[in-house]
């Protein structure tokens, strides 16, 4: 039997890169939870601006790459800040959403769970 | 030489789970790029609400897990929508930011690149 | 008794200016409700960016003027789009909030109404 | 000639109502500029949620009234916080936008000023 290969998972690799970037600039002092969340929402707005006044799929894909990367960057820094296991929180949330949106009620409509 | 180990990367595993969830509910019809980006920013606002009227680090961590997972969920669905390689866009953006924020200018201050 | 003086209310005066600006540029074609709301939230994010990584009151007031005016501009265009009477919706919402946040429960704390 | 009628302007009347509501609950202590701006953007996201997964004009107008009133409420509290003259900042911003978007360049297209 082969030994388990020496890989870190993807999130952690990117988180390490983001933290190196941050620490080279001595920016951890600014990265409290509130400002990281605020930064994330500002980047989300920049992502939305790519779609403003346009049909749903007319945004510039190269710019989407940049803005989505910014959103993900702050999301990963937040996860690191609170020492969250991303795979775990994702699987847990998908399970919660499965309970809120049972297939037989939610299939084919986009109503919010409290209106189903 | 050993064969490459049979692992999918993390992002892809979660993306598969999210797409299964979506497809069981026949929701792909609603998931155009514009509405996915909009949904992401709405979840980002819910994340921010956990910090509203509070000191920077007084938010409830259990709720942060839920809202951050929602943000990441839409981010991963957007990446899938545009067939983006997340590792690639993240590394590319970190490089761009390194150019915009050279260490000798950015160290220890939080100014925006166009004010450095 | 004097006749009521011939004044238009303030909101309407500004709405007229905004609509003139819009129509000179033939922009009404882009101003559906969804994109106006999206534009409003993007301007709200630009307003928030003035506070990012800063103490609560360290933002540049001249820039706040500009960004707040952008937010108000889209808010007034949305009100016009749906033919809303701003004084009426404001007074109605203040009354609703008074019911959600009774003084004896809400005084001195910042909890959300569903946690009071 | 008649004396100028004794009216306060509309914004000020609503601001007074909002401040009475705030002060009865002793909430001024939470209303620093950063959190007011954050609250505004959270309400803007709730407004956007009314349009999510929908065609541009399918939102519920009664709910738009409520969410738009929330946005305007925080905008007016911010203006009061910084002692801004709303009519003045609006007219000033419309003039700036007229310079950024000259009619002959902007007419009939929705490009951002830096792409005109």
């Amino acid at each position: 039997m082969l030994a388990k290969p020496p890989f870190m998972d993807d999130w952690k690799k990117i988180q390490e890169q983001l933290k190196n970037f941050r620490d080279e600039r001595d920016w951890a002092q600014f990265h409290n939870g509130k400002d990281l969340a605020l930064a994330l929402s500002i980047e989300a707005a920049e992502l939305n601006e790519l779609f403003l006044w346009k049909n749903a799929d007319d945004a510039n894909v190269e710019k989407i790459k940049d803005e989505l990367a910014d959103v993900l960057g702050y999301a990963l820094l937040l996860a690191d800040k609170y020492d969250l296991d991303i795979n775990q929180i994702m699987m847990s949330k998908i399970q919660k959403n499965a309970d809120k949106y049972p297939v037989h009620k939610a299939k084919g409509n986009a109503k919010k769970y409290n209106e189903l």
Side-chain angles (χ1 to χ4, degrees), chain A:
Chain A
M1 186 187 155
L2 300 181
K4 194 175 170 202
F7 68 93
M8 283 197 303
D9 66 46
D10 289 342
W11 323 95
K12 287 225 176 69
K13 276 186 290 188
I14 301 290
Q15 281 174 319
E16 289 309 313
Q17 298 283 338
L18 292 165
K19 287 156 72 178
N20 286 345
F21 182 91
R22 176 195 71 192
D23 292 337
E24 284 173 354
R25 285 157 188 78
D26 197 15
W27 282 354
Q29 61 185 310
F30 305 114
H31 284 201
N32 60 80
K34 186 168 184 167
D35 279 293
L36 284 172
L38 188 54
L40 191 160
S41 71
I42 292 166
E43 298 298 345
E46 294 183 7
L47 178 63
N48 274 275
E49 193 174 359
L50 304 177
F51 297 91
L52 184 64
W53 316 127
K54 293 182 185 167
N55 286 323
D57 293 311
D58 286 352
N60 178 313
V61 178
E62 288 308 307
K63 292 181 182 173
I64 290 175
K65 289 181 187 176
D66 270 1
E67 300 301 345
L68 188 57
D70 281 333
V71 169
L72 281 165
Y74 286 117
L76 293 179
L77 286 169
L78 264 170
D80 177 73
K81 177 91 185 171
Y82 292 97
D83 206 18
L84 307 180
D85 177 326
I86 291 176
N87 288 322
Q88 191 274 322
I89 67 170
M90 294 304 292
M91 295 313 297
S92 168
K93 192 61 203 271
I94 291 170
Q95 185 55 55
K96 281 188 196 181
N97 282 341
D99 295 340
K100 278 162 86 174
Y101 295 95
V103 170
H104 69 283
K105 285 192 181 177
K107 190 161 188 170
N109 80 64
K111 285 185 187 157
K112 209 172 167 179
Y113 68 93
N114 53 12
E115 295 173 351
L116 281 177

